[in-house]
């Protein structure tokens, strides 16, 4: 039991560390357009997941999941919606990193747990008590203050929080093995990604060529940096209680925040500080409420 817990914690820690430093990887691809990076991410993630399925001997489970989805058209539609939503999330994140919005991505993923609670109330009629309602209100105040002080809505933060929360809600309804899910999600996006890359290959804007071999390798590597943390996350989720796993999720946005300030040298002024102060207070109360009984 103790060994399983250690393995689970290692897997979870590695997952969120990888997700935390991903801005550094997307920055290596900054010469390419966000749409091109996304298309390659979809293509190479699909092929890498096929390799993962083969190495982990999950083909039979994958085929069974495919048959079940084919027989249940509603679940198939949910999977298609999830694929579109996560693609929007990926595109927004890639664009944000390469357009000096790393701190905004961090704020978005700090908000995400509270947004997920709100969506649980809206979509699943989950009951939450006064403390958690107050936590959501605090986060909303933080975003309002940031919007007021900047003069515009921090749309990157909002889009990332909303899309990932919607994605999580859809996946909760889907109840599909994560290995099968990411393979099928990328498969469903291939009809969009492949023609786009094929057309791009014939234009001067293409970055997947002999003229840029380093960038071509990094584009292929998007499949690895996408699939590896997802595989690690699935192991961590299976071996750890949700309250322990939930604690690790704050590692990624914290690393992103530090990278945004000290590596990308983005502006970190009163607007961001005030928003984060309210969001951090909300998360601290939310964590305490979870520890005291989950529904307070």
């Amino acid at each position: 039991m103790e060994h399983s817990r250690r393995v689970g914690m290692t897997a979870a820690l590695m997952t969120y560390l990888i997700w935390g430093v991903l801005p550094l990887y997307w920055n290596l691809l900054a010469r390419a357009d966000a749409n091109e990076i996304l298309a390659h991410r979809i293509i190479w993630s699909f092929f890498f997941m096929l390799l993962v399925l083969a190495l982990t001997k999950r083909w039979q489970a994958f085929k069974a999941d495919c048959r079940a989805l084919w027989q249940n058209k509603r679940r198939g539609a949910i999977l298609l919606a999830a694929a579109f939503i996560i693609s929007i999330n990926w595109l927004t994140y890639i664009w944000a990193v390469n357009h000096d919005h790393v701190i905004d991505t961090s704020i978005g993923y700090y908000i995400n747990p509270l947004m997920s609670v709100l969506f649980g109330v809206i979509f699943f009629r989950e009951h939450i008590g006064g403390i958690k309602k107050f936590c959501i209100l605090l986060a909303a105040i933080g975003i309002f203050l940031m919007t007021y002080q900047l003069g515009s809505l921090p749309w990157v933060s909002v889009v990332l929080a909303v899309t990932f929360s919607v994605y999580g809600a859809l996946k909760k309804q889907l109840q599909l093995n994560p290995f099968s899910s990411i393979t099928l999600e990328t498969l469903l996006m291939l009809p969009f990604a492949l023609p786009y890359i094929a057309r791009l290959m014939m234009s001067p804007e293409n970055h997947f060529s002999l003229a840029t071999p380093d960038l071509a390798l990094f584009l292929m590597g998007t499949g690895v940096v996408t699939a590896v943390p997802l595989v690690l996350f699935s192991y961590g989720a299976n071996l750890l209680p949700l309250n322990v796993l939930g604690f690790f999720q704050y590692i990624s946005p914290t690393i992103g925040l530090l990278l945004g300030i000290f590596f990308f040298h983005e502006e970190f002024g009163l607007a961001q500080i005030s928003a984060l102060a309210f969001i951090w207070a909300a998360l601290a109360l939310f964590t305490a409420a979870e520890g005291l009984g989950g529904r307070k």
Side-chain angles (χ1 to χ4, degrees):
M1 190 69 166
E2 188 61 32
H3 174 72
S4 295
R5 187 180 178 86
R6 282 200 302 269
V7 171
M9 293 186 72
T10 301
L13 179 61
M14 290 301 297
T15 297
Y16 288 107
L17 285 175
I18 293 170
W19 280 340
V21 300
L22 265 185
L24 298 176
Y25 193 87
W26 302 133
N27 188 56
L28 294 173
L29 302 169
R31 284 173 286 168
D33 181 78
N35 291 313
E36 182 179 5
I37 299 171
L38 174 65
H40 277 286
R41 186 179 190 181
I42 290 168
I43 293 166
W44 298 112
S45 294
F46 171 69
F47 286 113
F48 188 78
M49 284 309 300
L50 290 181
L51 179 62
V52 169
L53 289 174
L55 292 175
T56 57
K57 300 179 180 178
R58 295 176 183 268
W59 275 115
Q60 294 305 317
F62 177 68
K63 290 177 183 177
D65 287 334
C66 290
R67 283 194 295 271
L69 288 166
W70 182 256
Q71 292 167 1
N72 189 328
K73 298 300 187 285
R74 180 179 175 276
R75 289 185 73 212
I78 292 172
L79 178 66
L80 181 61
F84 273 108
I85 291 295
I86 198 60
S87 296
I88 293 169
N89 179 275
W90 287 355
L91 179 63
T92 304
Y93 188 84
I94 293 165
W95 182 92
V97 168
N98 291 334
H99 287 81
D100 303 319
H101 288 281
V102 175
I103 291 176
D104 286 349
T105 69
S106 170
I107 292 172
Y109 283 117
Y110 274 128
I111 300 169
N112 178 64
L114 300 173
M115 189 72 73
S116 294
V117 172
L118 179 62
F119 280 20
V121 173
I122 295 171
F123 294 117
F124 301 104
R125 297 181 182 177
E126 295 176 356
H127 172 75
I128 60 171
I131 292 179
K132 289 187 178 179
K133 289 177 183 176
F134 184 61
C135 291
I136 294 171
L137 177 62
L138 282 177
I141 292 171
I143 290 297
F144 173 79
L145 284 175
M146 190 173 173
T147 301
Y148 176 77
Q149 290 167 356
L150 292 176
S152 61
L153 183 73
W155 67 269
V156 167
S157 303
V158 173
V159 169
L160 288 177
V162 169
T163 53
F164 204 73
S165 297
V166 171
Y167 178 69
L170 290 169
K171 293 293 282 287
K172 184 174 181 178
Q173 293 183 66
L174 194 57
Q175 293 293 308
L176 187 63
N177 179 284
F179 290 86
S180 299
S181 183
I182 189 63
T183 306
L184 290 170
E185 287 164 24
T186 50
L187 173 63
L188 288 170
M189 292 296 101
L190 281 183
F192 302 95
L194 284 172
Y196 178 81
I197 291 299
R199 182 172 59 83
L200 200 63
M201 292 284 282
M202 297 184 235
S203 75
E205 286 79 25
N206 168 50
H207 293 90
F208 191 75
S209 66
L210 293 175
T212 55
D214 59 327
L215 194 54
L217 286 173
F218 285 133
L219 286 168
M220 292 176 68
T222 57
V224 178
V225 299
T226 299
V228 167
L230 287 169
V231 172
L232 289 170
F233 179 79
S234 70
Y235 280 107
N238 287 334
L239 296 172
L240 291 176
L242 283 178
N243 64 324
V244 177
L245 191 66
F247 174 78
F248 282 101
Q249 70 184 323
Y250 301 122
I251 294 174
S252 297
T254 302
I255 295 173
L257 177 64
L258 295 173
L259 286 174
I261 297 170
F262 298 109
F263 183 84
F264 293 97
H265 305 291
E266 293 180 8
E267 181 181 353
F268 187 61
L270 182 61
Q272 291 84 2
I273 293 170
S274 59
L276 281 170
F278 277 93
I279 292 165
W280 283 338
L283 290 173
L285 278 174
F286 178 81
T287 305
E290 283 288 298
L292 290 172
R295 286 187 141 193
K296 292 184 173 60

